[in-house]
Amino acid sequence: MKRALIAGKGILPRAIAERLYDSKTELLILTLRDEFEDLKPYAVKIVHMKTPKLGHVVREIKAFGASELIMAGNIPKKIIYKIPLLFFDKLSRSVMCRKIQDDHSLLGSIVEAFEGENIKVIPYWQILPEFIASKGKLSERSPNNKEMKDVEYACEILRVTLPCSFGQAVCVADGAVVAVEAMEGTDMMINRAGSLSGHGVIVKMMKENQDMRYDIPTVGEKTLEAMKKSGLTCLAVESGKTLILEPEKFFALADKYEIAVLGI
């Protein structure tokens, strides 16, 4: 089987590429990353792009003979929003000129463009199902009563922010909202929260109509490192809808830092 992978930043694309390689999949990797040496062992071909041109991606995928695509990893929003429209190709401009309200809508439009070219977008979590968070206590330490009250309040906040297409994660301390995630991403939001409160909990959830093919909440060791540095002691994630990168390493680090992790 031949498949294509659009690889953003982070360790997720490598984990997917490795799993596909093990399953004897012939893999084409397309990436904007300047450093992609870690991906080379798993790909038949790697295409390095300087700008995100969808028409170029489609041509490469069809020339390779693949009909399925996985989109994984972080692509900084400034790459999309700060490049003048004239630098995009025709297919990219057709997507960017649509009425797009948020990042999720933009990703949805990109997926529609690919599927309009008969390229099926495969949910990346299906490649790594064991990375999906389960329900209940996930770490050695359980949240204490104070942390649970903050988690419950954070969930109330997220039920308001998520339908507005922002605030996938929130930090709450002592019943007060410290920080809400925006374009900067969860880890940078955690750093901001640490500078403001120095303690509290993080809750991360998914928008109700979010498309799990390409855009689900993700946490990893960097999340825990940021929490430890910022003095945050509890992480609650939505079970069945959150990807935990390299779970064994993640939970070993959570236990080392005595960070309570909960699937809600």
Side-chain angles (χ1 to χ4, degrees):
M1 176 183 290
K2 291 185 177 182
R3 283 178 168 171
L5 169 66
I6 295 179
K9 293 184 177 181
I11 63 174
L12 179 58
R14 181 188 57 77
I16 291 171
E18 184 176 2
R19 182 63 57 85
L20 292 172
Y21 179 83
D22 290 342
S23 67
K24 310 300 181 184
T25 298
E26 294 182 56
L27 188 61
L28 164 69
I29 296 179
L30 305 108
T31 185
L32 292 164
R33 290 163 51 167
D34 291 328
E35 298 179 2
F36 48 86
E37 293 294 322
D38 60 324
L39 300 174
K40 284 185 175 180
Y42 312 110
V44 174
K45 181 181 180 182
I46 294 184
V47 176
H48 180 236
M49 301 180 295
K50 292 184 178 180
T51 56
K53 295 182 178 180
L54 301 184
H56 182 196
V57 172
V58 168
R59 289 192 296 273
E60 289 285 355
I61 292 173
K62 290 185 175 181
F64 185 71
S67 59
E68 294 183 344
L69 168 67
I70 299 124
M71 299 166 56
N74 180 49
I75 296 178
K77 304 298 187 300
K78 64 182 181 180
I79 291 179
I80 298 173
Y81 292 118
K82 289 190 176 181
I83 297 175
L85 199 59
L86 62 88
F87 285 98
F88 290 102
D89 58 15
K90 183 178 179 181
L91 184 59
S92 301
R93 288 197 297 271
S94 71
V95 169
M96 296 297 291
C97 288
R98 296 179 189 180
K99 186 178 180 180
I100 294 171
Q101 297 176 331
D102 52 48
D103 298 339
H104 190 75
S105 298
L106 174 59
L107 286 170
S109 296
I110 291 171
V111 169
E112 286 180 14
F114 285 135
E115 297 202 329
E117 296 287 341
N118 296 315
I119 298 170
K120 184 179 180 181
V121 177
I122 304 296
Y124 55 77
W125 62 267
Q126 289 185 357
I127 309 297
L128 302 163
E130 71 275 19
F131 281 29
I132 294 293
S134 56
K135 188 176 181 180
K137 173 187 171 183
L138 302 179
S139 59
E140 190 173 281
R141 185 175 78 81
S142 299
N144 59 38
N145 290 336
K146 181 181 176 182
E147 290 168 334
M148 279 306 303
K149 287 182 180 179
D150 281 344
V151 167
E152 289 166 3
Y153 180 57
C155 290
E156 293 179 20
I157 298 301
L158 289 172
R159 291 188 188 101
V160 175
T161 61
L162 285 170
C164 299
S165 298
F166 80 98
Q168 191 178 72
V170 63
C171 175
V172 170
D174 302 323
V177 175
V178 178
V180 179
E181 179 184 353
M183 188 180 286
E184 81 273 37
T186 303
D187 294 350
M188 290 184 67
M189 182 272 286
I190 290 172
N191 294 335
R192 179 159 52 89
S195 69
L196 294 170
S197 69
H199 70 287
V201 308
I202 296 292
V203 179
K204 193 172 177 75
M205 294 175 65
M206 176 187 275
K207 185 178 175 182
E208 187 175 345
N209 64 346
Q210 201 158 315
D211 195 323
M212 290 187 69
R213 287 177 297 174
Y214 54 85
D215 186 21
I216 66 174
T218 301
V219 295
E221 290 180 271
K222 287 186 177 180
T223 310
L224 297 175
E225 294 283 3
M227 289 181 66
K228 176 66 174 178
K229 183 178 179 181
S230 298
L232 308 180
T233 55
C234 178
L235 172 65
V237 298
E238 192 168 8
S239 61
K241 295 183 178 180
T242 305
L243 200 75
I244 298 176
L245 298 174
E246 297 184 308
E248 289 187 11
K249 292 181 180 179
F250 176 89
F251 290 117
L253 190 61
D255 294 340
K256 176 182 176 181
Y257 289 160
E258 296 186 339
I259 293 175
V261 183
L262 184 68
I264 55 175

